[in-house]
Amino acid sequence: ANGAVANSAWLPHFYLMLRERFQIQVNPLITRTNIQVLSAQIDFFVNDHLMISAGRFYSPLGFYPEKLHTSWVTKTPDTPLLFQQIYPFLLSFNGIQFRGGRYIGNWPVKLEYSGIATNGMSLDLDETPTEFDFANFNPVRTTFREVNNDKGYGGRLGLSFPTLGVIIGASALANGAYEPTGQEDLTFIDFDANFHRGNWDVRFEYARVDQQTPFGPIDRQGYYLQAAYRNYQSVHPFWGKLEGVARYDWVDFDGIDLATTGLDFGTRERIPIDRERYTAGLNYYFYPTLILKLAYEFNNEREFIELDDDGFLAQLTLGF
């Protein structure tokens, strides 16, 4: 088992290996007021190139949500804007997944592949829906309860170049109908590019969601570009543990009229408004998994609304 403590939350990971062919893993997110099951799955290792999982698992779509979400891996105290209203952060699915990878012939290139068949994302509405219900994307991430008989199918294909430190990939999800009437569909695409070699760590990811609603289509898109530098070869211990980070975020929405939806301005970061963000950060690694992160964010809303939400963030995270 291992876990992490960050922002007054505990994320333990429990693993149990059975006869070297089966593995059970459970990952709850525990806070002072809530327990959320992020994964609870059983994995069957078919061979060196294929694993089949059943249960609740992290979404394999994209790169950041599955591989970089852990607090001692992320480079900033918060997540990119992309994963707040374009593609939900810490998204998990209930269903079946296959995944694996293998080198292509004798080339130093590895093909990564994954596929899922799941209940998909759902919007559970007990009352007559309003434009607010569809504009606020966070409730759509519900995957525990299936509100109709439609399913979601998707996956990711990637290419890894280990000698270069480069990974690129493309993901897609055909979610089908996501609300009780079964009339409105949801589709998702994602492209990621990653470079991690030597002192440099560079990440890019773009995602787009085409969402049908009774009030007209909503198109969401965004991307982030992040670069981090740490001088591992520094002869001075202090400078070798210091890391600089810079990130640019961009999100754009079509089909949402804030004057009509009446969104709650108390959740500033979650308001679906065209926005740019510039983040400058500094991290200090006491140990590989004990990190102090400091960052300042500059936000620029590209519409008539000014949220005045620039600010300083700090986080101390511990993984064990």
Side-chain angles (χ1 to χ4, degrees):
N2 58 55
V5 177
N7 290 345
S8 300
W10 183 37
L11 287 81
H13 294 248
F14 301 100
Y15 300 93
L16 176 63
M17 182 67 74
L18 303 172
R19 299 191 177 187
E20 298 184 358
R21 296 298 298 272
F22 295 90
Q23 176 180 262
I24 297 174
Q25 56 175 300
V26 180
N27 175 210
L29 170 61
I30 303 172
T31 66
R32 289 175 295 179
T33 59
N34 187 37
I35 297 178
Q36 180 182 351
V37 179
L38 301 180
S39 70
Q41 65 192 74
I42 182 169
D43 306 321
F44 172 50
F45 298 94
V46 180
N47 53 46
D48 292 340
H49 309 296
L50 179 63
M51 180 183 77
I52 300 176
S53 304
R56 183 168 180 81
F57 45 81
Y58 282 107
S59 166
L61 309 175
F63 195 89
Y64 186 102
E66 182 186 41
K67 298 179 176 64
L68 300 178
H69 71 270
T70 308
S71 59
W72 69 83
V73 176
T74 58
K75 301 295 185 182
T76 58
D78 68 338
T79 60
L81 284 174
L82 174 64
F83 305 111
Q84 295 174 14
Q85 271 289 330
I86 306 298
Y87 178 56
F89 183 56
L90 291 181
L91 179 64
S92 300
F93 287 114
N94 301 329
I96 299 175
Q97 174 183 207
F98 75 85
R99 66 186 306 152
R102 65 183 306 155
Y103 282 94
I104 303 175
N106 295 321
W107 296 356
V109 181
K110 190 174 184 179
L111 176 65
E112 304 174 341
Y113 42 84
S114 63
I116 58 174
T118 80
N119 288 342
M121 290 183 279
S122 298
L123 180 61
D124 190 7
L125 298 172
D126 295 327
E127 302 177 353
T128 302
T130 65
E131 290 190 49
F132 170 83
D133 295 317
F134 292 93
N136 183 14
F137 198 57
N138 286 280
V140 180
R141 64 181 295 165
T142 301
T143 56
F144 264 114
R145 179 181 175 186
E146 184 181 11
V147 298
N148 53 56
N149 292 322
D150 228 339
K151 304 297 180 183
Y153 303 93
R156 178 181 180 273
L157 286 176
L159 291 175
S160 174
F161 304 83
T163 57
L164 300 178
V166 172
I167 301 175
I168 58 175
S171 308
L173 173 70
N175 194 82
Y178 66 97
E179 42 72 54
T181 67
Q183 302 296 317
E184 313 298 342
D185 292 345
L186 187 72
T187 58
F188 165 85
I189 60 171
D190 180 285
F191 300 98
D192 63 81
N194 305 269
F195 173 76
H196 181 79
R197 186 179 182 185
N199 298 332
W200 287 96
D201 183 278
V202 181
R203 310 288 179 178
F204 169 84
E205 193 157 350
Y206 167 88
R208 178 184 177 94
V209 175
D210 294 319
Q211 177 186 1
Q212 297 180 4
T213 82
F215 307 95
I218 295 177
D219 297 323
R220 309 169 187 265
Q221 63 177 332
Y223 68 87
Y224 85 95
L225 175 62
Q226 176 181 284
Y229 179 84
R230 179 182 174 187
N231 187 3
Y232 291 91
Q233 293 79 32
S234 175
V235 296
H236 195 289
F238 176 82
W239 297 112
K241 295 181 179 181
L242 204 62
E243 179 180 56
V245 184
R247 189 178 73 213
Y248 173 74
D249 296 274
W250 179 90
V251 292
D252 183 83
F253 305 88
D254 291 321
I256 297 178
D257 182 2
L258 294 180
T260 302
T261 60
L263 289 177
D264 180 9
F265 278 74
T267 55
R268 290 175 179 267
E269 287 191 345
R270 298 182 178 181
I271 297 176
I273 181 175
D274 298 349
R275 183 183 299 161
E276 294 174 306
R277 171 181 290 172
Y278 302 86
T279 302
L282 200 61
N283 302 330
Y284 186 79
Y285 291 77
F286 298 97
Y287 300 101
T289 58
L290 177 58
I291 312 165
L292 175 63
K293 307 176 190 177
L294 306 174
Y296 196 88
E297 296 180 342
F298 303 87
N299 290 282
N300 177 30
E301 289 76 33
R302 302 193 314 275
E303 291 187 9
F304 60 91
I305 297 175
E306 290 293 338
L307 299 180
D308 296 324
D309 54 349
D310 297 347
F312 173 79
L313 300 175
Q315 180 189 63
L316 180 65
T317 181
L318 169 65
F320 57 91

